Every structure is written in structure tokens, then in C-alpha cells.
Amino acid sequence: MILECCYTLPERPGVYYFYDEKNTLLYIGKSKNIRKRVLSHFYHRDETKRHADLIKQTAHIDFTCTAGELGALLLESAEIKLRQPIYNRRLRKHQNLYSWVLNDELIPVLHRVDDIADDKISVGLYQSPVRAKQWLLKLAEKNELCAKVLELESTRRGCCFNYQLKRCRGACCGNETLASYNQRLVKAFENYALIAWPWQSAIAIVEEDPQHQCKAFHIINQWRYLGSVSHLHDTPTGPLPRFSRDSYQILIRYLQYEKPNILELT
């Protein structure tokens, strides 16, 4: 019965929802073609036990059509974080994301992303301070930066440990000038910096599906997805949601490879 229902699903971009017989939300997915993607779940040849369990429990399928692939990507990410389906792990909500910011003395300081001022350049998106520190240590080793100068090593006298291993050029003991070191540090950070929000206010990315006469305005501010509307007078208001690494990466990729119609909102 459930398989027969799959053939009635639309062949359009959007998000689909799998529910069990008690109407518990099991899974949220997205596709450029909802019907084709959902059917592939049921005809998957090399399925894992987890996927087989999902299909076995699915008793009802719902969907939301979008104007295109961007709308499907953004909606899927937001819905998973909001509704926490049982079988979605990759995009589960994290309470905080952290990022490194260079202070006035060019020392990396870890901040919650939501607390970073708009004019500050931040580097990386990490789910915990531990992961952030691990990344910074790897960056230091890769670029021969000094863990002592970065305040990641507490050695008070002499050179840092990495200098002895020839993984530091000696800013910690005067064998490299601080000016040269800072120049290399800034360059290393710039390679991983989050892209600053380039608009003065929120924007609407216009996405259209001429075949189905569908248009959507995706409302974005400070890389945060506020929602999608059919008419700009329905633009959502209120405080910005938490920063989402998934939404940020979706938008960056879209803006790099597409030529979107963007309206700046005032």
C-alpha cells in the first residue's frame, strides 16, 4: 500500500517526510524530484540494516514542494533541526557553534558564532571548544606556527616543543620576527575565514519553477535562513535564528556556482 502511494507523489523539487503508524516522524529528505527519490528508498539494492528498518517502519509519507533545489536544501536543513527526526543524524541541531577570531594582538580567541560582531572575521565552524583547539593545533603544525605564541602551550621559557621538532620557525624564541610570524598567521587564517555578509540588510533570493508557475523568495540575513515566502509582504520578522553551518555552506555553494536573482530588503 505504501509503495502504491509513492507513485502519486509529485515529480517536483521539495522535501519529503516518512512517518510510522503512530505518526512519529522518522526521516526527512530532499530531492529535485520527490517521487523518483522516494521510490529509490524502496528499491535500494545495497541498503544497510538501518535503512531497511526505516522502510519497514514507514507507514505514511508527506511532502512539501519548493520552487527549486535551493529551497529544498534550505527547508530540509531547517526542518531537521526543528523537528529532530529519528533517522536523521547528519543535520541534528547543535546548541552552539564556535569560531576563532583574531584579537587586536593577533591571538586567536574562541567565540560562540552567535556572539561574534558582524565586522569581525572569524575562522572555522566547530561543534565544541575541544574540536576547535584540535583544528588550531593542526593549522599551527601545517603552517609552522608557534603553539606558544598562539597560547596553546604554556611553556614559560625557551622555545616551544614544536620548534625542537622543526615544526615552528622560532617566533617563540626570537628566531623569527613577530612581524613575519603575524603575516604568516593572518594569511593562514584568511584561507579558512568565513565569508563576511556582503549586504547591508536581509536579502531575498528569488527562485522560480516556470513549469509549475511557482516562485519563492528565500529570506536570508547574516547567512541565516529565515524562511521562504510566495510574496515579499509576508517576509518573516523577529530575532535572527541561530547560525547554521549547513545553511551557510548551502548558500555559499549556491552563490559561487549560480547567478541568482537577489533582492536586498530594506
Side-chain angles (χ1 to χ4, degrees), residues 113-159:
V113 171
D114 289 319
D115 296 334
I116 297 173
D118 295 341
D119 61 342
K120 294 291 185 181
I121 297 177
S122 60
V123 173
L125 291 169
Y126 313 99
Q127 297 169 3
S128 70
V130 172
R131 291 189 179 184
K133 185 175 180 180
Q134 290 172 343
W135 178 87
L136 188 56
L137 285 168
K138 290 180 180 179
L139 181 75
E141 184 173 322
K142 180 180 179 180
N143 293 274
E144 298 180 301
L145 300 173
C146 180
K148 182 178 177 180
V149 177
L150 289 172
E151 298 186 356
L152 295 174
E153 186 177 312
S154 58
T155 304
R156 294 186 178 181
R157 295 182 179 180
C159 301

Side-chain angles (χ1 to χ4, degrees), residues 208-228:
E208 297 187 67
D209 180 357
Q211 181 180 352
H212 298 94
Q213 298 182 340
C214 176
K215 177 189 286 189
F217 299 91
H218 308 305
I219 311 302
I220 315 293
N221 195 1
Q222 299 297 329
W223 302 117
R224 292 155 170 86
Y225 173 58
L226 278 65
S228 300

Side-chain angles (χ1 to χ4, degrees), residues 76-93:
E76 179 203 34
S77 176
E79 284 281 77
I80 289 174
K81 289 177 175 60
L82 176 65
R83 303 181 65 178
Q84 295 285 283
I86 295 172
Y87 281 85
N88 288 94
R89 288 181 174 178
R90 183 175 57 86
L91 295 178
R92 283 293 179 96
K93 179 180 179 181

